[in-house]
Amino acid sequence: MRQTVMKHRQALIYFSLILISLLWIASCQFFQPQLKTETPLPTFRLGFNNWPGCAVWQIASEQGIFEKNNLDIDLQFSDYTTGITTFANNQLDGNCQTLFDTIYMLGTNSSVDPVIVALTDWSTGGDQIIAASNVQNIQQLKGKKVAFELGSVGHYLLLMGLEKYGLKLSDIQKSNNNLIRNLALFFEEEVDAIVTYMPFVKEALNRPGSQTLLTSQDFPGAISDHLVVNRQFLENNPQVVKGLVKTWFDTVEFMKKNPDLSRQIIAYTSGLTLQDLKDDESKISIKGLSDNLTAFEPGDSFASLPYAAQNIYDFLRTNKLIENSVDIQRILDSSFLANAQNR
């Protein structure tokens, strides 16, 4: 009898333990906090081109630096002019382009409101005025035919060069075409000079007897390139823009640690030989975080972006190259630099 009672008691204990275990498991599942799944950031359509300073973005792509910063980037390569047009037509969310072209875009009937969030590089000789053998200096351009793109940063360099040596645009014969057509005209000896930039400088200098008359080195900081973002995208997705700015500075650090690999990537992206890039490396100054923090400060030279932006805007208005007024204060947004500095 006692054995029967003991067996029943033992079974009851086992049953109770099983029931308690099941209730404990159920309660844990019931009261366990729900883990929130992080919403993926939207894809960012970023335009870049074969200017060596912009080709740096290819390093970020190949070395997984975009992914490291949790970005989904649709990196779109094109020639410079096509990239500008595509961005202006709201078919890109951001682009690598000059300060000049960004202000020009704002002053025309563009579909986007572009914002500069980082300085990527200075042209320190990469933009040039190249002439035939019968033109030895800028003064001798008087009466000569010069090929350039009207309203482009090359137009800006030409006008600064003419002014520096006492000439006006009316003193030359203008040939306004796209870059490839201008190169063809220069080779065919239909024009006496051309305004162009790397990597096309070497092609222009292949014309027998041609030489460089003036470069962007004569005007330090006047031609700068930037990460430019559509304001609407920036306001809706600040985390993406924060990641993009951080990606640029991470890529600059990668370049410092891996110079040979970085040169290889920039060279083939730009259409240059490795030796050509090494020879002309001084003509482009890549800018990191400390350079950016300084550049966004007010100043009295082209080294200051606020100064450069105002100077370029005044130039565009004076020469009637833009129709619309531009609020220069709104074009520069340095807030993402602070985020990069405090990361």
Side-chain angles (χ1 to χ4, degrees), residues 307-323:
Y307 173 92
Q310 187 63 55
N311 189 282
I312 291 169
Y313 175 60
D314 293 342
F315 168 86
L316 287 167
R317 294 283 284 184
T318 300
N319 289 278
K320 297 181 172 55
L321 294 172
I322 56 175
E323 310 92 32

Side-chain angles (χ1 to χ4, degrees), residues 28-49:
C28 286
Q29 291 177 338
F30 180 79
F31 289 108
Q32 186 176 11
Q34 295 295 313
L35 296 176
K36 292 183 179 179
T37 57
E38 193 172 321
T39 304
L41 296 175
T43 299
F44 187 91
R45 300 168 298 173
L46 177 60
F48 78 122
N49 53 77

Side-chain angles (χ1 to χ4, degrees), residues 157-169:
L157 177 64
L158 175 63
L159 285 171
M160 285 192 296
L162 292 173
E163 182 180 355
K164 181 176 180 179
Y165 291 96
L167 297 178
K168 303 184 294 295
L169 196 62

Side-chain angles (χ1 to χ4, degrees), residues 54-78:
C54 293
V56 170
W57 288 110
Q58 185 67 26
I59 299 174
S61 177
E62 293 190 18
Q63 299 304 310
I65 303 175
F66 287 127
E67 288 82 357
K68 172 189 166 188
N69 288 303
N70 302 313
L71 296 175
D72 179 16
I73 302 296
D74 177 11
L75 195 60
Q76 298 186 23
F77 180 85
S78 69

Side-chain angles (χ1 to χ4, degrees), residues 141-325:
L141 285 176
K142 188 169 184 177
K144 299 294 193 297
K145 188 175 287 188
V146 182
F148 63 97
E149 291 181 86
L150 187 68
S152 70
V153 71
H155 184 184
Y156 182 45
L157 177 64
L158 175 63
L159 285 171
M160 285 192 296
L162 292 173
E163 182 180 355
K164 181 176 180 179
Y165 291 96
L167 297 178
K168 303 184 294 295
L169 196 62
S170 58
D171 289 325
I172 66 170
Q173 297 182 57
K174 299 182 289 293
S175 179
N176 173 34
N177 302 281
N178 64 45
L179 176 66
I180 303 303
R181 178 60 181 154
N182 284 338
L183 278 169
L185 289 172
F186 188 60
F187 277 112
E188 293 163 4
E189 300 185 5
E190 295 292 325
V191 298
D192 302 291
I194 184 175
V195 186
T196 189
Y197 58 89
M198 292 175 61
F200 305 104
V201 163
K202 185 180 179 184
E203 294 182 39
L205 288 172
N206 282 334
R207 173 175 167 172
S210 61
Q211 71 268 305
T212 298
L213 300 183
L214 179 142
T215 80
S216 49
Q217 182 59 43
D218 291 85
F219 308 99
I223 300 180
S224 56
D225 291 279
H226 305 269
L227 171 58
V228 185
V229 179
N230 187 339
R231 186 180 300 279
Q232 184 177 1
F233 189 99
L234 182 152
E235 291 176 349
N236 292 334
N237 306 282
Q239 285 300 112
V240 175
V241 179
K242 178 180 176 182
L244 275 166
V245 173
K246 184 176 181 302
T247 295
W248 175 262
F249 297 132
D250 287 348
T251 306
V252 172
E253 291 303 310
F254 177 90
M255 291 173 66
K256 291 176 183 177
K257 296 173 183 176
N258 304 274
D260 292 338
L261 175 58
S262 298
R263 286 191 191 99
Q264 289 174 12
I265 295 173
I266 291 173
Y268 68 67
T269 303
S270 299
L272 293 165
T273 67
L274 190 56
Q275 190 58 51
D276 285 340
L277 181 63
K278 288 180 179 179
D279 291 344
D280 292 330
E281 211 162 25
S282 64
K283 294 181 173 64
I284 299 165
S285 178
I286 304 298
K287 300 300 182 181
L289 178 56
S290 61
D291 295 317
N292 269 260
L293 293 170
T294 302
F296 275 81
E297 291 294 323
D300 57 3
S301 73
F302 280 108
S304 163
L305 286 175
Y307 173 92
Q310 187 63 55
N311 189 282
I312 291 169
Y313 175 60
D314 293 342
F315 168 86
L316 287 167
R317 294 283 284 184
T318 300
N319 289 278
K320 297 181 172 55
L321 294 172
I322 56 175
E323 310 92 32
N324 305 333
S325 297

